Amino acid sequence: MSLRSLHVLPTAGTFRPKAIIALCFMILLAGCTTLGNNAQPQEPKPDLSELAHEAALQMVTNNPELTRYSPMIAATFVSIDNLSQSSTFGRISSEIMASALAQQGMQVREVKMRDSMFIEESVGELILSRQVQRLSSQHNARSILMGTYAQGQDYLYVSARVVRAGDAMVLGSADFQLPLDNNMRSLLEAQGGW
């Protein structure tokens, strides 16, 4: 038998530092994996509907007299950067917010069913300050829901307020933010990009 063909097997007492380090590393990784599996699942982030309902509750809580200014009409929420521009997000956020206020006791007049208010299909029911008194008198409204939104890098910021029709005084307001995910981006695309 030649020396080249002789294989020496390690004995129980042989010290192999690389093997021990590798074994310790595997044990450490296994422990981290186990800890990660025991972590609590992340709570889902609130969506537009939840935040609108919280905002409506905040408005009525901060001003219990708010519902006395019924009926209310809702304007499409507009981009803060261009008050004559909106999007699918602006239209649906106005609808959801009006619904949330109705659940808090506000009487909401549906203006889409009447011929007296022009609705531009791609913009919705925009109400700028110069139009408030004219539109509120046409619809016998005592208040108007208005809102703006601003697009940041990671969040969409929304500001909603109910204003008194006679003098545009703010009766209630609330602000919230939404993560700017693909769903929000698709709702904003109608305003010309993101």
Side-chain angles (χ1 to χ4, degrees), residues 50-69:
E50 288 176 71
L51 292 171
H53 284 269
E54 289 173 13
L57 177 61
Q58 177 186 340
M59 283 185 190
V60 173
T61 300
N62 289 343
N63 181 4
E65 302 292 311
L66 184 65
T67 57
R68 290 183 52 212
Y69 291 93

Side-chain angles (χ1 to χ4, degrees), residues 47-124:
D47 65 6
L48 175 58
S49 182
E50 288 176 71
L51 292 171
H53 284 269
E54 289 173 13
L57 177 61
Q58 177 186 340
M59 283 185 190
V60 173
T61 300
N62 289 343
N63 181 4
E65 302 292 311
L66 184 65
T67 57
R68 290 183 52 212
Y69 291 93
S70 292
M72 178 190 81
I73 57 175
T76 296
F77 289 10
V78 294
S79 169
I80 192 72
D81 295 321
N82 183 349
L83 298 179
S84 64
Q85 186 177 50
S86 191
S87 61
T88 302
F89 175 81
R91 291 184 290 279
I92 193 61
S93 56
S94 169
E95 295 286 328
I96 292 171
M97 192 73 203
S99 173
L101 282 164
Q103 290 180 25
Q104 292 297 323
M106 196 78 170
Q107 294 174 1
V108 180
R109 178 154 292 142
E110 180 58 69
V111 295
K112 287 182 211 57
M113 296 177 66
R114 298 180 58 170
D115 295 331
S116 60
M117 184 173 185
F118 173 72
I119 299 171
E120 186 180 337
E121 190 173 319
S122 64
V123 178

Side-chain angles (χ1 to χ4, degrees), residues 9-191:
L9 297 174
T11 61
T14 304
F15 180 74
R16 302 211 66 175
K18 288 182 182 178
I20 291 174
I21 291 172
L23 181 62
C24 290
F25 185 71
M26 289 189 323
I27 291 170
L28 181 65
L29 283 178
C32 289
T33 303
T34 303
L35 286 175
N37 290 340
N38 290 337
Q40 296 294 326
Q42 275 189 335
E43 283 188 34
K45 294 178 181 163
D47 65 6
L48 175 58
S49 182
E50 288 176 71
L51 292 171
H53 284 269
E54 289 173 13
L57 177 61
Q58 177 186 340
M59 283 185 190
V60 173
T61 300
N62 289 343
N63 181 4
E65 302 292 311
L66 184 65
T67 57
R68 290 183 52 212
Y69 291 93
S70 292
M72 178 190 81
I73 57 175
T76 296
F77 289 10
V78 294
S79 169
I80 192 72
D81 295 321
N82 183 349
L83 298 179
S84 64
Q85 186 177 50
S86 191
S87 61
T88 302
F89 175 81
R91 291 184 290 279
I92 193 61
S93 56
S94 169
E95 295 286 328
I96 292 171
M97 192 73 203
S99 173
L101 282 164
Q103 290 180 25
Q104 292 297 323
M106 196 78 170
Q107 294 174 1
V108 180
R109 178 154 292 142
E110 180 58 69
V111 295
K112 287 182 211 57
M113 296 177 66
R114 298 180 58 170
D115 295 331
S116 60
M117 184 173 185
F118 173 72
I119 299 171
E120 186 180 337
E121 190 173 319
S122 64
V123 178
E125 313 85 81
L126 294 174
I127 297 181
L128 303 177
S129 57
R130 65 184 179 274
Q131 299 171 306
V132 169
Q133 289 192 1
R134 179 180 61 84
L135 290 169
S136 60
S137 65
Q138 283 178 348
H139 297 284
N140 296 318
R142 297 187 66 207
S143 60
I144 300 171
L145 170 66
M146 306 171 99
T148 54
Y149 58 88
Q151 200 174 328
Q153 181 174 333
D154 298 317
Y155 290 94
L156 186 65
Y157 300 90
V158 182
S159 178
R161 59 209 158 273
V162 175
V163 299
R164 190 166 47 208
D167 57 7
M169 289 294 293
V170 175
L171 301 170
S173 65
D175 306 307
F176 55 90
Q177 66 186 36
L178 291 155
L180 193 55
D181 58 15
N182 287 336
N183 185 50
M184 286 297 114
R185 285 185 177 95
S186 69
L187 293 174
L188 291 165
E189 281 179 357
Q191 75 176 28

